[in-house]
Amino acid sequence: MEVTSVDLGFLEPCEPWLLTNKFFRSKIGGKPAWLELKHLPKPDDLLCGQCNEPLGFLCQVYAPVEANENSFHRTLYVFVCLTAACNQSPEPEARTIKVLRSQLPRRNEYYEYDPPDETKESSAIKSPVPLCVVCGCRGPKLCSRCKAVNYCSAAHQRLDWKAVHKSVCCSEEGSTVPASATSSIQFPEFEIITEEEEYEPKAKLSEEENAKRQLAELERLKQEGKAGALDELSEAELDQYSSDQVEDKTFDKFKDRISADPEQVLRYERGGKPLWLSPKLPQAIPPCGRCAGRRVFEFQIMPQLLNSLNSEQLDWGTLVCYTCEASCDVQGYAEEYIFRQDVLNTDTAKH
């Protein structure tokens, strides 16, 4: 697979009606704009693997695969746990974050063959599956009193009852007023627009310059009393020094790469390589759970996004998503693999 560039994602305000499913946009926040409309994920598919509470919708990335006619429309959805304790878990591969893939051919039962007119407002394509009024996910539960609103879970029903629905249940307003308590579980909604990255790597240092830098580093250690000379350090101290050096270099490379575009919230390069911020990498990328084929890197969510979410519960260094290389056929939604990389010892990078 030939990869020519990295696409950077930035947040931009957008009319809400343009962020619905029929316009095939990438976005963060609000409710999911579901692509395939009949086989939506079940509520149990969108529970946190640690606290068992419903995950919150973070973002979706519209990412067609031109070489696959069944992926003419293709969207990836990221959901995160909204509980602070789960986001501070020391195990980055704990199932507190999930990513789902959905795709359709150009000719399908939901959307027109040709793109819609974006110059005039129009409604979303409605799902035949009832949706939760709080989060917009599949809502199989009904309010037992008025039977006018749906929920994905008892947790969201309780949330809505206290915030809104208690005052309108069984009234005429009950089925006409948006009975939702979304402010506590929905993130602000923005479109993600993309631009090709323009990056020129710095020239590598010559052997002479490397030697000077190493001598300067040794002198610094002596002045700080950390070493008379490196060969006088214990093996444990050498290992720690080496580990810190690797981590610092990895983070410095991360900072240098994003410095030209500090507002980037997404990096997209299907088949490329992630931009790591620490040397702690996933041990292995599991194969596709449907076809057992290889997964490849597709995109990563950057720490800058945290500044736009108005949430003290979330924390990450970067979220790195891998998807089925073949983008194998799926009816509805297939779970892919996402890895949360935290900042280890670099205090300046922590939020």
Side-chain angles (χ1 to χ4, degrees), residues 288-335:
C288 174
R290 298 182 63 84
C291 71
R294 187 170 77 106
R295 280 193 172 113
V296 296
F297 168 67
E298 182 142 353
F299 69 85
Q300 67 187 107
I301 297 169
M302 305 298 282
Q304 180 64 25
L305 180 58
L306 291 165
N307 296 333
S308 302
L309 297 179
N310 299 333
S311 174
E312 297 180 356
Q313 285 73 36
L314 298 182
D315 189 28
W316 63 70
T318 183
L319 305 179
V320 185
C321 177
Y322 294 82
T323 60
C324 175
E325 183 177 33
S327 199
C328 64
D329 291 349
V330 55
Q331 184 183 52
Y333 295 79
E335 185 171 355

Side-chain angles (χ1 to χ4, degrees), residues 6 10 17 30 60 62 123 131 140 142 168 175 204 229 235 250 259 263 282:
V6 177
F10 302 91
W17 62 269
Q60 61 189 74
Y62 182 67
S123 301
L131 301 179
L142 271 172
V168 296
S175 58
K204 291 185 178 180
E235 186 173 345
T250 303
S259 61
E263 298 301 313

Side-chain angles (χ1 to χ4, degrees), residues 62-349:
Y62 182 67
V65 178
E66 293 182 2
N68 186 340
E69 64 178 15
N70 289 327
S71 298
F72 183 88
H73 295 300
R74 180 173 175 271
T75 303
L76 300 161
Y77 300 80
V78 179
F79 294 83
V80 296
C81 184
L82 303 177
T83 304
C86 292
N87 289 294
Q88 295 166 2
S89 167
E91 178 49 65
E93 296 194 60
R95 291 170 59 78
T96 61
I97 306 169
K98 293 182 180 180
V99 58
L100 304 179
R101 167 172 59 92
S102 184
Q103 60 196 46
L104 293 170
R106 183 172 184 177
R107 198 172 297 282
N108 60 78
E109 61 180 299
Y110 307 113
Y111 307 101
E112 297 291 338
Y113 187 81
D114 294 318
D117 183 356
E118 297 189 2
T119 63
K120 48 182 156 183
E121 184 172 349
S122 58
S123 301
I125 306 299
K126 190 175 180 181
S127 169
V129 176
L131 301 179
C132 174
V133 295
V134 175
C135 67
C137 296
R138 180 190 283 266
K141 296 181 180 294
L142 271 172
C143 172
S144 58
R145 293 182 63 193
C146 69
K147 297 185 173 18
V149 290
N150 289 76
Y151 301 98
C152 66
S153 61
H156 281 185
Q157 185 171 6
R158 288 193 297 270
L159 188 67
D160 189 44
W161 179 260
K162 292 178 182 178
V164 177
H165 191 58
K166 183 178 181 179
S167 62
V168 296
C169 185
C170 293
S171 68
E172 289 185 3
E173 293 179 323
S175 58
T176 58
V177 175
S180 65
T182 59
S183 59
S184 62
I185 63 136
Q186 278 187 31
F187 301 118
E189 192 173 41
F190 294 93
E191 182 181 6
I192 302 175
I193 61 168
T194 57
E195 298 175 7
E196 187 173 318
E197 182 183 39
E198 296 180 2
Y199 174 75
E200 294 184 8
K202 295 179 180 178
K204 291 185 178 180
L205 297 177
S206 66
E207 289 185 12
E208 181 180 353
E209 289 171 323
N210 270 322
K212 287 182 180 179
R213 179 170 288 191
Q214 289 172 0
L215 285 173
E217 177 65 13
L218 177 58
E219 186 62 30
R220 182 184 69 81
L221 286 171
K222 288 180 180 180
Q223 290 177 358
E224 293 179 0
K226 294 182 179 179
L230 284 179
D231 57 5
E232 295 175 9
L233 293 175
S234 69
E235 186 173 345
E237 290 172 318
L238 276 171
D239 287 345
Q240 182 60 48
Y241 173 74
S242 175
S243 175
D244 290 346
Q245 287 292 95
V246 170
E247 186 170 324
D248 288 346
K249 288 180 180 178
T250 303
F251 186 68
D252 286 345
K253 180 180 178 182
F254 181 90
K255 288 194 298 182
D256 175 64
R257 187 69 183 261
I258 68 172
S259 61
D261 300 287
E263 298 301 313
Q264 59 184 276
V265 300
L266 183 91
R267 296 178 66 85
Y268 185 92
E269 188 187 15
R270 190 165 196 265
K273 294 181 179 180
L275 181 60
W276 299 111
L277 50 71
S278 88
K280 188 174 182 182
L281 307 182
Q283 294 182 350
I285 306 303
C288 174
R290 298 182 63 84
C291 71
R294 187 170 77 106
R295 280 193 172 113
V296 296
F297 168 67
E298 182 142 353
F299 69 85
Q300 67 187 107
I301 297 169
M302 305 298 282
Q304 180 64 25
L305 180 58
L306 291 165
N307 296 333
S308 302
L309 297 179
N310 299 333
S311 174
E312 297 180 356
Q313 285 73 36
L314 298 182
D315 189 28
W316 63 70
T318 183
L319 305 179
V320 185
C321 177
Y322 294 82
T323 60
C324 175
E325 183 177 33
S327 199
C328 64
D329 291 349
V330 55
Q331 184 183 52
Y333 295 79
E335 185 171 355
E336 295 287 10
Y337 177 76
I338 194 163
F339 177 79
R340 188 192 84 211
Q341 187 182 58
D342 296 322
V343 179
L344 298 181
N345 298 323
T346 312
D347 292 336
T348 56

